[in-house]
Amino acid sequence: MINREWHLLSRPVGWPKPEDFALVEAEVPTPGEGQVLVRNAYLSVDPYMRGRMSAAKSYVAPFELGKAMQGGAVGEVVASNAEGIAVGDHVLHFLGWREYAVVRAENAVKVDPAAAPLSAYLGVLGMTGLTAYAGLLRTAAFKEGDAVFVSGAAGAVGSQVGQIAKLKGASRVIGSAGSDDKVKPLVEEYGFDAAFNYKDGKVSEQLRAAAPDGVDVYFDNVGGDHLEAAIGSLNQGGRIAVCGMISVYNNTEPAPGPRNLARLIQTRGRIEGFLVGDHYDLQPQFVAEVGPWVASGALKYRETVVEGIENNLEAFLGVLRGDNTGKMIVKL
């Protein structure tokens, strides 16, 4: 049996290029003591993976050159040498970018395909969902009546942030996205009060038009002009949770910071970055609250599904370009 896996050959400078990667064939590994062999069914590709392709010091170790990359994955156990996990169980783990993975039992989380589609455990009920939940409710300290602005609102995290805010009693939720096709479902499907295409004009002007009374919370997935616009519209005591800054991930030179930071003095505003890994203590609360919303249809989600391990790299590049609506998933 052959196991195909994606290796990083060289560290990208600027936009990643196909020659920086290779799809390599290897033998399917055999699980040792305390390990299980998983046939992956769905793989996750996410913006944070771009940072792991660099050797720069960060909050997580970089991908190793010449070895399989990593990422969220969910699949079926086809061999087990571990107590508590049997052949036929389905598990969530972080050895993606490959067809088969040997996973230590303590690093595998059993999931129920009868409760939700397997792919949902990589998105709305997985790490991206918890990112939205923790960033909005803990980092941004959202409270009922807040006006919320979300950038990258058509993405897996952003779309969930806006919906959770509405379900929790936001007075107004505004989203930005990069095309009219992405803006439309924000209002018609996800219940945002307003949304705009940031390519149609200055973000600051469009945000002021959509939120004439300002915003209390900004959930930042983009950085750049969106962050500056949010600071300009921030109400007194406003909070900004910085989840990502996809607009600068492929820059080869440092991006200029917001020019209006002094406004934080006037508004007593706060900017705080966060990592979902610091908030896994919220996982039980997150599943208990969000799971029923998903099951009832109160919280909607979309997935952009790309088929085939051979298209894993293109799916990742698509995330960086903003090709996806909702969570980008690779189906094997």
Side-chain angles (χ1 to χ4, degrees):
M1 294 174 64
I2 298 298
N3 183 28
R4 292 182 292 173
E5 54 188 35
W6 280 95
H7 289 200
L8 182 66
L9 300 184
S10 57
R11 303 205 180 277
V13 177
W15 274 87
K17 303 180 293 296
E19 52 264 37
D20 295 323
F21 308 85
L23 182 59
V24 176
E25 291 187 351
E27 290 187 6
V28 174
T30 301
E33 188 67 27
Q35 297 179 330
V36 297
L37 175 64
V38 182
R39 181 174 59 227
N40 288 330
Y42 294 94
L43 307 177
S44 177
V45 286
D46 303 279
Y48 80 86
M49 293 173 175
R50 177 62 183 88
R52 296 197 66 186
M53 294 172 187
S54 167
K57 187 176 181 180
S58 185
Y59 60 87
V60 65
F63 292 135
E64 294 185 58
L65 294 180
K67 294 188 178 180
M69 294 186 290
Q70 301 162 5
V74 64
E76 182 180 356
V77 175
V78 294
S80 176
N81 273 330
E83 291 186 13
I85 302 180
V87 171
D89 284 344
H90 292 82
V91 297
L92 173 69
H93 61 91
F94 287 93
L95 293 180
W97 288 85
R98 67 199 81 185
E99 292 176 306
Y100 289 85
V102 165
V103 183
R104 293 203 59 80
E106 60 265 30
N107 297 328
V109 178
K110 287 201 286 187
V111 297
D112 184 1
L118 281 178
S119 58
Y121 294 102
L122 295 176
V124 66
L125 293 177
M127 185 177 70
T128 51
L130 181 59
T131 301
Y133 189 86
L136 177 68
L137 301 183
R138 177 175 281 174
T139 305
F142 170 86
K143 59 183 184 296
E144 185 176 356
D146 280 343
V148 178
F149 172 44
V150 187
S151 59
V157 173
S159 60
Q160 202 156 341
V161 170
Q163 291 183 83
I164 293 172
K166 289 296 290 185
L167 288 164
K168 288 281 193 177
S171 62
R172 188 166 179 79
V173 174
I174 304 99
S176 70
S179 73
D180 292 342
D181 287 341
K182 290 184 177 183
V183 165
K184 188 176 181 181
L186 295 180
V187 176
E188 297 184 358
E189 189 173 336
Y190 296 146
F192 283 58
D193 296 287
F196 60 84
N197 181 347
Y198 66 80
K199 297 176 183 177
D200 285 347
K202 287 186 176 181
V203 175
S204 56
E205 294 177 358
Q206 295 194 77
L207 178 57
R208 280 196 295 270
D213 296 324
V215 297
D216 303 295
V217 168
Y218 170 49
F219 193 103
D220 190 15
N221 289 306
V222 174
D225 55 355
H226 281 75
L227 178 55
E228 185 170 294
I231 293 171
S233 286
L234 204 63
N235 289 331
Q236 185 168 318
R239 291 88 64 204
I240 296 175
V242 181
C243 176
M245 292 192 174
I246 197 169
S247 69
V248 302
Y249 285 171
N250 294 304
N251 287 5
T252 56
E253 299 292 334
R259 298 167 295 180
N260 57 349
L261 283 174
R263 194 167 186 279
L264 295 175
I265 302 169
Q266 305 164 25
T267 61
R268 291 74 149 180
R270 172 170 62 84
I271 301 178
E272 183 178 345
F274 75 98
L275 297 173
V276 66
D278 296 332
H279 301 281
Y280 279 119
D281 62 296
L282 288 176
Q283 181 76 21
Q285 176 183 323
F286 160 69
V287 173
E289 187 163 22
V290 176
W293 287 340
V294 174
S296 69
L299 195 152
K300 300 174 175 61
Y301 68 98
R302 286 190 179 189
E303 296 173 339
T304 299
V305 179
V306 173
E307 298 206 9
I309 186 75
E310 63 276 9
N311 294 314
N312 211 103
L313 175 60
E314 181 56 29
F316 167 70
L317 297 176
V319 169
L320 297 183
R321 292 191 299 262
D323 293 349
N324 57 302
T325 299
K327 184 76 182 74
M328 180 72 89
I329 299 286
V330 178
K331 181 181 179 182
L332 304 188

